[in-house]
Amino acid sequence: MTSTAQPTVPEGRKAHPDHLGHVIFITAAAAMGGFLFGYDSSVINGAVEAIRSRYDVGSALLAQVIAIALIGCAIGAATAGRIADRIGRIRVMQIASVLFTISAVGSALPFALWDLAFWRIVGGFAIGMASVIGPAYIAEVSPSAYRGRLGSFQQAAIVVGIAISQLVNWGILNLADGQQRGKIGGLEAWQWMLGVMVVPAVLYGLLSFAIPESPRFLISIGKVDRAKEVLSEVEGHSVNLDKRVAEIQDAMRREHKPRFKDLLGKVGFLPIVWVGIGLSVFQQLVGINVAFYYSSALWQSVGIDPSSSFFYSFTTSIINIIGTVIAMIFVDKIGRRPLALIGSAGMAIALALEAWAFSAKTAAGTLPATEGTVALIAAHVFVLFFALSWGVVVWVFLGEMFPNRIRAAALGVAASAQWIANWAITASFPSLSDWNLSGTYVIYTFFALLSIPFVLKFVKETKGKALEEMG
C-alpha cells in the first residue's frame, strides 16, 4: 500500500469559524467606521445653503469650509497605521469614535465660521483614521475563506452611511417645514443634521469594547496566549493555534518595510505608481463628490424646492448602493478593466446630458420641464455607472496592482493623490458653478472620456492573477 505526500496547506487557509455569525458581528462592528466615513463625508450636503445664509459667505469661502475636512482626512489616513501599530487597532477605533462625537457636537453648535471649519477638520481626521483602520482590522481578523466577502463590509458600510445621512437630512428638513434654517427645539435644522451623527459615533465607540483586538497586534506585543484565544474565536477550534501563530510571526519577520525611494524611477515615480495615481485622480475628476457634497444646493440652484432636492439626494444615495452591489457581484466575473471602461462610457454620456440640461438654465434660475427631467435622470445614471465601476474597481486595482515590495507605500501615495483630487473638485465646484454650471459639467465629461484611453493604454487586468505576479 503506497501513500502520497500531501502539500502543506497553511493553517490560515483551512480556517472555518465555528460561529460565523460572531465573526460577522465583529466585522460589522469594525465596519461602523466605514458607515461614519460615508455619513460624515456627505451629511454636509444638507447644510451647504444654510451655512451660506447663516454666515453670509461667498462661494469661494464656502467651498473651503466644505473641503477643509479633507485636510483632516489626509492627516488621519497618514497617521492611523503607525498609531495602530503602537497602541492597537481597537484603541484607534475608540479615538476615531471620540473625534467623530466631538466633531458632531462642535459642528452643530458653532459660534463662527472658522469654528465650524475647525470641527470639520476634526471630523476629517476621524474619517481618515476610519478609512485605514477598518479594512486593516477586518483583514486581520477574517478567516481567509471569507476574507473577500467580509472585506466588502467596509465599502458597503460607506455607501449605506451616505444614504442614511441623506435620509436623516430629509427627515429633519421636513420637521422644520422645509426650511434649512427653520427652528427645531431652539436649533436650526442644519445644526441638527450635523449633530445627529453623535448617535452612530457613540455606537461605534461602544461596539469597539465588544470586539477583540487583532491577533496580529497581540502577537507583535508579546500577548501570544490572548492572540490564540482570538484566533480560536474567529478561525475555529480545529485550527492548530501554535502553527497559526508561527505563520503570523514568520510573515511579520519577512515583511519588507518600503521606503519612499523604493517608489522612484526615471521620471519621478515608477511607471506602475503613476498608473495608480492616475486611477485615483480620474476617480475624483469626474466630479463624483459633487453629487454627495453639493447635490441639494445644486438642485436648489436650478429651481427645485429644498424638500425635493433633499429627497433626490437620498434617491441618488440608494442608486449608489445598488451600483456598489452590482460591482461586488461582477468585479471577479468580468474583470476590473471591462467594468472601468463600461463605467467611463456610461459616466461620460450621463455627464454630457447633465451639461446639456444645465445649459438651458433660465435667468430666473430654473430649468424647463424637459431639461429638468433629463438632468435628474442623468444625475442618477451618472452615480449608478460610477458606483458599479470606478467606485469599487479603483480600490480593487490599488490593492492588487503593485509589486509586493512596494505595495503599502505605493498605495499610500495613490490614496494621497485621491484626497488631493477630491479636495480640488470639492473646493472648486461652487466657484465653477457660479461661473458656468453647464461648462463645469463639460469639464467633468472631458475627464470621463479621457479615462477611457488611459485605461486602455496603461491599466493591466489583475483579475485571476496572484499578487506575486504584479508589477
Side-chain angles (χ1 to χ4, degrees):
M1 185 174 180
T2 59
S3 62
T4 304
Q6 297 296 320
T8 301
V9 179
E11 289 294 323
R13 293 190 187 177
K14 297 186 289 185
H16 291 276
D18 299 317
H19 303 288
L20 182 58
H22 180 60
V23 178
I24 291 174
F25 168 76
I26 292 172
T27 304
M32 271 297 295
F35 177 91
L36 283 159
F37 177 169
Y39 194 104
D40 194 27
S41 296
S42 61
V43 71
I44 193 69
N45 190 0
V48 172
E49 288 306 305
I51 293 170
R52 186 198 298 270
S53 170
R54 169 80 172 262
Y55 297 105
D56 191 25
V57 294
S59 294
L61 183 56
L62 177 68
Q64 295 307 317
V65 174
I66 305 304
I68 202 167
L70 298 171
I71 296 174
C73 291
I75 298 171
T79 58
R82 291 186 179 182
I83 296 172
D85 285 339
R86 285 175 177 260
I87 65 174
R89 283 60 166 153
I90 298 298
R91 288 286 179 266
V92 171
M93 292 182 197
Q94 291 164 355
I95 291 171
S97 168
V98 170
L99 292 176
F100 275 124
T101 303
I102 292 172
S103 171
V105 174
S107 298
L109 303 171
F111 51 82
L113 190 63
W114 69 265
D115 178 41
L116 175 61
F118 173 76
W119 299 120
R120 294 274 299 151
I121 294 175
V122 172
F125 194 93
I127 292 173
M129 296 182 82
S131 71
V132 170
I133 200 59
Y137 174 85
I138 292 171
E140 291 176 358
V141 300
S142 298
S144 60
Y146 300 94
R147 185 170 296 131
R149 281 165 284 183
L150 294 175
S152 68
F153 275 44
Q154 175 78 357
Q155 179 63 24
I158 291 171
V159 297
V160 170
I162 292 171
I164 294 299
S165 73
Q166 301 312 300
L167 179 60
V168 169
N169 283 355
W170 182 54
I172 291 173
L173 186 75
N174 286 328
L175 287 175
D177 298 322
Q179 301 298 317
Q180 288 162 273
R181 296 196 59 190
K183 291 292 183 72
I184 305 173
L187 295 178
E188 295 182 3
W190 69 273
Q191 294 176 275
W192 283 105
M193 293 175 190
L194 301 184
V196 165
M197 194 180 67
V198 165
V199 176
V202 171
L203 179 60
Y204 181 40
L206 293 175
L207 286 172
S208 71
F209 288 98
I211 59 178
E213 181 54 88
S214 156
R216 185 184 177 90
F217 174 72
L218 291 169
I219 291 170
S220 74
I221 61 173
K223 294 186 176 181
V224 176
D225 289 340
R226 176 56 184 151
K228 289 180 179 178
E229 291 176 11
V230 177
L231 286 168
S232 177
E233 187 179 336
V234 300
E235 297 191 357
H237 292 90
S238 61
V239 171
N240 184 327
L241 296 177
D242 290 329
K243 189 173 181 181
R244 186 74 183 94
V245 168
E247 287 176 3
I248 294 173
Q249 289 173 327
D250 183 56
M252 292 170 69
R253 279 193 298 269
R254 288 187 289 105
E255 278 182 352
H256 170 70
K257 297 291 184 183
R259 295 163 295 178
F260 184 76
K261 71 177 184 179
D262 293 334
L263 306 180
L264 301 180
K266 293 180 180 179
V267 187
F269 292 113
L270 294 169
I272 192 67
V273 179
W274 281 119
V275 174
I277 292 171
L279 285 167
S280 286
V281 169
F282 273 117
Q283 188 196 53
Q284 297 300 317
L285 293 185
V286 295
I288 186 59
N289 278 313
V290 168
F292 299 129
Y293 295 165
Y294 295 113
S295 59
S296 293
L298 171 64
W299 296 127
Q300 289 174 58
S301 75
V302 292
I304 293 175
D305 66 88
S307 183
S308 295
S309 72
F310 275 51
F311 179 71
Y312 295 140
S313 295
F314 170 62
T315 57
T316 301
S317 301
I318 296 299
I319 293 295
N320 188 32
I321 294 175
I322 294 170
T324 300
V325 172
I326 293 172
M328 290 166 64
I329 292 171
F330 289 104
V331 70
D332 285 324
K333 292 185 178 180
I334 69 174
R336 290 77 162 127
R337 276 179 99 239
L339 269 186
L341 292 169
I342 290 169
S344 293
M347 288 190 296
I349 293 170
L351 288 166
L353 287 171
E354 285 192 82
W356 170 79
F358 291 138
S359 69
K361 184 177 178 181
T362 67
T366 60
L367 291 179
T370 300
E371 284 80 355
T373 301
V374 169
L376 282 170
I377 294 173
H380 286 72
V381 171
F382 165 60
V383 171
L384 176 66
F385 274 96
F386 175 86
L388 65 80
S389 60
W390 285 75
V392 170
V393 163
V394 168
W395 289 110
V396 176
F397 268 130
L398 294 181
E400 296 177 335
M401 65 187 288
F402 302 116
N404 281 335
R405 64 184 179 83
I406 65 166
R407 179 167 293 116
L411 210 163
V413 169
S416 297
Q418 191 171 123
W419 287 119
I420 292 169
N422 187 342
W423 173 84
I425 292 297
T426 304
S428 64
F429 176 74
S431 296
L432 283 174
S433 62
D434 283 351
W435 160 68
N436 189 314
L437 183 57
S438 177
T440 302
Y441 274 81
V442 169
I443 294 171
Y444 300 154
T445 304
F446 169 76
F447 284 118
L449 289 170
L450 192 61
S451 69
I452 295 175
F454 173 79
V455 171
L456 289 173
K457 183 171 178 61
F458 298 111
V459 180
K460 296 180 180 179
E461 181 59 77
T462 57
K463 173 192 168 187
K465 294 184 178 179
L467 293 180
E468 290 71 27
E469 297 178 58
M470 301 304 171

